[in-house]
Amino acid sequence: MKNHKSRHAHQPGKRTPPLAKKRKLTSQPQLYTYPIKSLRGVSLSEATLTRTGFQYDRRFMLLKVIPGQNGACTLKNMHVPHFPEMALFTTEIVYPDEEKDVPGRIIVTYHPPADSHLDNKDKATKTLEIPLQPDIRGLRQLSIEMHRSPTTGYDMGDPYNEWFSERFGYGVVLAYLGPHSRRVLGSFAPGKSPAHAVDRPVVSTRSLVGLAVLTLVLNGVRVPSGASASGPVQSAREELLRHWPGVAATVVAGLLSWVLLRGLSTAKEDESITFADTAPYLLTSETSLDELSARFAGEERMDMTKFRPNIVVSGPATAFEEDFWAELRVGQSEAAARLLLTANCVRCRSINVDYATGKMGTGETGSALKKLMNDRRVDKGVKYNPVFGRYVFLDPASDKVMIRVGDEVDVLRTMKERTIYGQSVYSLIHV
């Protein structure tokens, strides 16, 4: 696979000209966080970046109670494509006031559809307040696994479980992540993404195999010794000279192996996330949304929040050019943040959900997934799902940096071709 790096990753010294310069976030709020996974998010004017996502993003999630035999129950992760009624819940964050010693909280509001199973609509629209940072002492621990990445959570118990269960019409548990996190798997992390491969290893695995064979051969070679004086010191010297080809080859093989493994060790650095699916951030473009909305008949327009982005940029000259972005800078000061785009976000039926009914949509916007199917199945690793948006990780030096709506966004680096879902930096090594 000799050409993979030139096709899928930036080459040092051959920088591709950026597709866009000094893009600005729109003057309207285009930063979003989702305190409870799959419920509707919160629009922000500013946000603190962390390695695991925006502060307070997706630290709660809902689990459906599945009754079993003999009173035993199991818990099933709830995601909006499988539970579209989750779209009927909106969230709001009240941030803590440290000066007044007032803790933060999440306010959840239920918006029942016309055919709600609840008779008392006043009761149905009541809000629920949840501590932003609950005290986990005494809470039941839960084993939670998402996309094969396990973690530990905490059952918030009543009145929270009871409130959600009444509105969903079945048993629901509110889970809190607490101090835990989930490991990022696959090729999503920057160290494993071809978009951020610094360079190919100096030595290929094929070369190492050849060198190993040569080492074995040379270790069998003996250099004939000539007549010399006897004695233990002289004998040891002669023995070393007789074996020098094998010794030299072994030393060289060891050094080159160390270089290769040291280069790969940086790609194995673990990244962590909360209850987000596979990456801490998702970025989308207003230009791409406009292009999708233009495919709808009539005056309907696609709602960007159905894609559940964290960062929305405006100003790209063409739709979907973000497919080729590898690195962005947000802000112009010394505290500017650097964002690393690693993979495409492939889409499912969740973008078809009608937020007013909590069911799959029936109008033009209810066919959004189908509209994208025609020409947006552009990721060779996932042939049957369209792409909209890019997964984003944070440069470690940008941890705790604040970004704001209106900050300038520079595209620092682009790729010649799109990344491929599931393809890691390891597949770019010669074999």
Side-chain angles (χ1 to χ4, degrees), residues 63-69 71-77 140 171 173:
L63 308 170
K64 182 178 181 180
V65 179
I66 309 296
Q69 296 180 349
C73 297
T74 57
L75 299 176
K76 180 178 180 179
N77 299 347
R140 178 170 68 105
V173 167

Side-chain angles (χ1 to χ4, degrees), residues 259-369:
V259 170
L260 173 65
L261 294 175
R262 188 171 183 270
L264 288 180
S265 65
T266 58
K268 295 182 178 180
E269 181 182 356
D270 285 343
E271 294 279 353
S272 298
I273 50 176
T274 58
F275 287 136
D277 284 340
T278 52
Y281 300 96
L282 176 68
L283 179 141
T284 58
S285 159
E286 280 282 0
T287 305
S288 300
L289 185 77
D290 291 341
E291 200 276 348
L292 173 58
S293 295
R295 304 182 185 193
F296 297 155
E299 300 297 323
E300 288 192 70
R301 177 177 169 79
M302 186 64 185
D303 182 350
M304 179 66 89
T305 63
K306 292 185 179 182
F307 291 103
R308 299 185 175 271
N310 296 105
I311 302 170
V312 181
V313 295
S314 64
T318 58
F320 306 115
E321 70 174 60
E322 64 273 14
D323 290 1
F324 299 92
W325 294 349
E327 186 174 347
L328 304 179
R329 179 178 62 208
V330 181
Q332 295 297 309
S333 67
E334 294 182 358
R338 299 176 79 92
L339 307 180
L340 309 178
L341 288 70
T342 65
N344 304 314
C345 181
V346 293
R347 293 300 174 171
C348 66
R349 63 200 295 262
S350 65
I351 64 174
N352 290 341
V353 174
D354 186 333
Y355 280 8
T357 65
K359 299 177 181 178
M360 289 296 159
T362 56
E364 282 291 291
T365 55
S367 63
L369 186 65

Side-chain angles (χ1 to χ4, degrees), residues 230-252:
S230 60
V233 175
Q234 187 66 23
S235 297
R237 182 180 301 170
E238 289 180 357
E239 190 67 19
L240 179 61
L241 289 174
R242 291 177 60 197
H243 289 82
W244 75 262
V247 172
T250 301
V251 171
V252 172

